[in-house]
Amino acid sequence: MDLATTRTGTPVSRQPIKRKPDTPPPLSLGMIRLRHVIVALLLSVFFFFVFCFISLHGYIAWVLSNPTVAPLYSNPSIAKGLKYEDVTFPALDGSRTMQGWYIPAEGSTKTIVFSHGYGANREESWVPMYDLAHYAHRLNFNVVMFDYGFASQINKDIATGGKKESQQLLGAIQFAKEKGAQQIVVWGFSMGAGTALQAGLVTKDVDAMILDSTFLLEPDTLYHNIKQNIDLPRQPSLEIMELLFPLLNGTGLNQIPYAKVKSEDYPFPILFLHGTKDDKAPYPIAEELAANQSNPYSESWIVEGSHHELLFREHPREYLRRVSAFLGNVQLAEAKEIEQSTIVKP
């Protein structure tokens, strides 16, 4: 038998392995790498946009905390021929020294302390503050005009929405007392008005307030002002801002007593002045604040079509008439209190 040509058994042939129809073909190493690159790129783009979104909010918070304030360009003597003193005094908590002007009214024990707004200094030219200081002096009030820390020409500080500023205003009130003031009226504008209300929660040295275009830093007004400049979603923008403020200026929104201010019935009379076209501080806030007051001499003047801090410019005669009447009522009320306190009970 020819062993070279004879075979036994069934010949074996190699057949390809059949896959189930639903089994995907195996990926090549190149495809796996491509998928990893695509995922990495998408994640990079996503985190880049998240970083940009948060950075934008950080920039907004930084700008709000560090407003650009013009230098002083005049003084009461040049602007209105008023004799004045350059003065310094400490904030009530001793955190810093404040710079300002004191305009004395001969023989007067009444003082008006002006509380300027955000992004301005004691001059606040668009009000215009010199005109109102001159008017107050003509009514025989001493006048205190000073710069908040964020407007200081010497040792500039950050803006905190009233947390630090209320202590600075209380320092100005204490200074007025040391100058002999027996009646003190705070005349505030915008955030200076909101700061006055915060100070009013903790002092008994204020006899009245005049609050023009009251701005109170709270989530609603913060978002309202952000949206005026850039259209960002309310959420998560507010949450991000609330996280960033303490990091950038050391003050969280929860440290500003806006809820307390909005529910407080202040013991002294307040005149609220506000315009319906105010694009920075919506006028319903002033209406809400005014509605909480039970003092019989408190009142409000909501002016149709007027703008933020421009009520005096737009309606000068009516503005001064209402202020004059309000101050007259305050003095009348105090005179009655003094008279009643001197009555000897049988």
Side-chain angles (χ1 to χ4, degrees):
M1 183 173 61
D2 187 353
L3 295 176
T5 58
T6 303
R7 298 186 181 187
T8 59
T10 306
V12 178
S13 60
R14 297 182 178 271
Q15 299 292 331
I17 300 173
K18 294 183 178 181
R19 295 186 180 88
K20 295 180 180 179
D22 57 347
T23 302
L27 293 176
S28 66
L29 184 59
M31 286 295 294
I32 293 173
R33 288 177 177 173
L34 179 60
R35 283 193 175 186
H36 287 171
V37 169
I38 292 173
V39 170
L41 285 174
L42 290 175
L43 287 174
S44 298
V45 171
F46 171 76
F47 285 114
F48 173 76
F49 279 110
V50 169
F51 172 78
C52 291
F53 189 70
I54 295 175
S55 296
L56 174 62
H57 287 77
Y59 174 74
I60 293 171
W62 187 88
V63 169
L64 291 175
S65 302
N66 297 271
T68 300
V69 180
L72 297 173
Y73 72 91
S74 188
N75 61 54
S77 177
I78 296 173
K80 291 294 177 181
L82 297 171
K83 294 182 180 180
Y84 73 99
E85 305 169 18
D86 287 308
V87 297
T88 60
F89 53 86
L92 190 65
D93 61 1
S95 59
R96 62 173 293 119
T97 298
M98 316 305 298
Q99 294 82 37
W101 296 319
Y102 180 69
I103 306 171
E106 187 175 354
S108 177
T109 58
K110 307 179 299 182
T111 299
I112 284 179
V113 178
F114 282 100
S115 176
H116 69 77
Y118 171 85
N121 55 34
R122 70 188 90 157
E123 292 178 321
E124 201 149 6
S125 58
W126 54 82
V127 169
M129 198 76 88
Y130 283 122
D131 287 357
L132 294 183
H134 185 235
Y135 168 75
H137 190 261
R138 285 172 54 196
L139 294 179
N140 201 37
F141 279 88
N142 305 300
V143 175
V144 176
M145 304 171 72
F146 73 100
D147 291 334
Y148 281 115
F150 62 78
S152 174
Q153 308 288 305
I154 300 174
N155 53 339
K156 186 176 173 63
D157 204 349
I158 54 177
T160 63
K163 180 176 179 288
K164 289 185 176 182
E165 291 81 6
S166 59
Q167 290 296 314
Q168 296 163 15
L169 176 57
L170 291 170
I173 292 169
Q174 180 63 32
F175 170 79
K177 286 180 62 181
E178 292 171 358
K179 280 288 191 177
Q182 297 177 12
Q183 181 190 91
I184 296 176
V185 178
V186 176
W187 196 336
F189 301 82
S190 188
M191 191 176 287
T195 297
L197 289 172
Q198 293 179 54
L201 295 173
V202 296
T203 183
K204 296 181 180 179
D205 295 327
V206 171
D207 296 282
M209 287 186 179
I210 302 169
L211 304 181
D212 185 325
S213 306
T214 303
F215 179 95
L216 186 61
L217 186 60
E218 59 171 350
D220 287 342
T221 51
L222 174 61
Y223 179 69
H224 174 81
N225 279 269
I226 291 174
K227 196 171 178 62
Q228 297 295 315
N229 298 289
I230 183 169
D231 191 12
L232 292 173
R234 184 180 177 88
Q235 273 77 32
S237 289
L238 279 180
E239 287 79 1
I240 294 173
M241 296 294 287
E242 288 175 358
L243 289 173
L244 291 175
F245 266 119
L247 298 176
L248 294 172
N249 68 11
T251 302
L253 288 181
N254 60 349
Q255 294 177 282
I256 299 171
Y258 57 84
K260 176 69 172 171
V261 167
K262 290 177 71 173
S263 63
E264 184 75 3
D265 182 4
Y266 289 87
F268 46 79
I270 304 175
L271 172 60
F272 292 95
L273 309 166
H274 220 103
T276 61
K277 292 294 184 181
D278 194 320
D279 60 351
K280 293 180 175 63
Y283 74 92
I285 292 179
E287 290 183 323
E288 180 182 353
L289 292 167
N292 292 333
Q293 308 311 309
S294 62
N295 189 294
Y297 297 102
S298 288
E299 56 183 297
S300 63
W301 182 39
I302 308 299
V303 187
E304 187 68 33
S306 278
H307 302 82
H308 189 71
E309 290 190 277
L310 296 181
L311 281 77
F312 175 51
R313 279 188 178 276
E314 294 168 344
H315 307 278
R317 290 186 179 180
E318 183 63 12
Y319 189 103
L320 294 183
R321 187 192 73 79
R322 288 180 177 268
V323 168
S324 180
F326 174 75
L327 292 174
N329 287 335
V330 169
Q331 294 178 63
L332 180 62
E334 291 204 343
K336 287 182 178 179
E337 288 180 5
I338 294 172
E339 182 181 350
Q340 291 175 356
S341 66
T342 58
I343 295 176
V344 179
K345 294 183 180 180

